[in-house]
Amino acid sequence: MKTVVGMVVSNRMQKSVVVAVDRLFHHKLYNRYVKRTSKFMAHDEHNHCNIGDRVRLDPSRPLSKRKHWIVAEILTKARIYQPPVPSDSPSASTQFNS
């Protein structure tokens, strides 16, 4: 097996992530390129991966029933949206009370 690059779609488990890997192949009958997605469970020892991160996976010995990959490195971190914090100004609270 060779290394694969994919996107983290789940990190709800302890020390494990689910990575979706996309691949394109040429369909001979339809003469089009078709995209297929495979999901792999991978070992993330320190729980550094978040949903949306782009990671590189290396093959390893079987770690559990479905886990045969290890997160080698995080290529790009996901940009997480944080809403602005509302300020507690007194003029804003009196505006709605009157």
Side-chain angles (χ1 to χ4, degrees):
M1 292 189 290
K2 60 181 183 177
T3 62
V4 294
V5 175
M7 192 78 63
V8 176
V9 294
S10 173
N11 65 346
R12 298 182 120 195
M13 299 161 282
Q14 296 175 6
K15 298 186 177 186
S16 298
V17 292
V18 178
V19 178
V21 177
D22 294 331
R23 63 184 173 89
L24 285 174
F25 69 95
H26 187 260
H27 198 289
K28 291 181 180 161
L29 179 64
Y30 299 129
N31 199 22
R32 298 275 190 270
Y33 282 96
V34 182
K35 182 167 83 167
R36 297 281 180 210
T37 302
S38 301
K39 288 203 265 184
F40 299 113
M41 287 184 62
H43 185 68
D44 180 21
E45 180 65 35
H46 303 292
N47 291 324
H48 290 310
C49 294
N50 288 321
I51 295 175
D53 290 350
R54 192 161 183 80
V55 295
R56 182 172 59 86
L57 302 179
D58 285 339
S60 73
R61 65 180 178 83
L63 300 170
S64 68
K65 181 179 178 180
R66 295 186 54 217
K67 195 160 62 166
H68 302 85
W69 299 88
I70 293 178
V71 175
E73 67 174 317
I74 300 174
L75 301 174
T76 57
K77 294 292 282 180
R79 293 179 51 186
I80 300 172
Y81 173 74
Q82 299 203 355
V85 178
S87 61
D88 294 333
S89 63
S91 63
S93 63
T94 58
Q95 189 178 32
F96 295 111
N97 291 339
S98 28

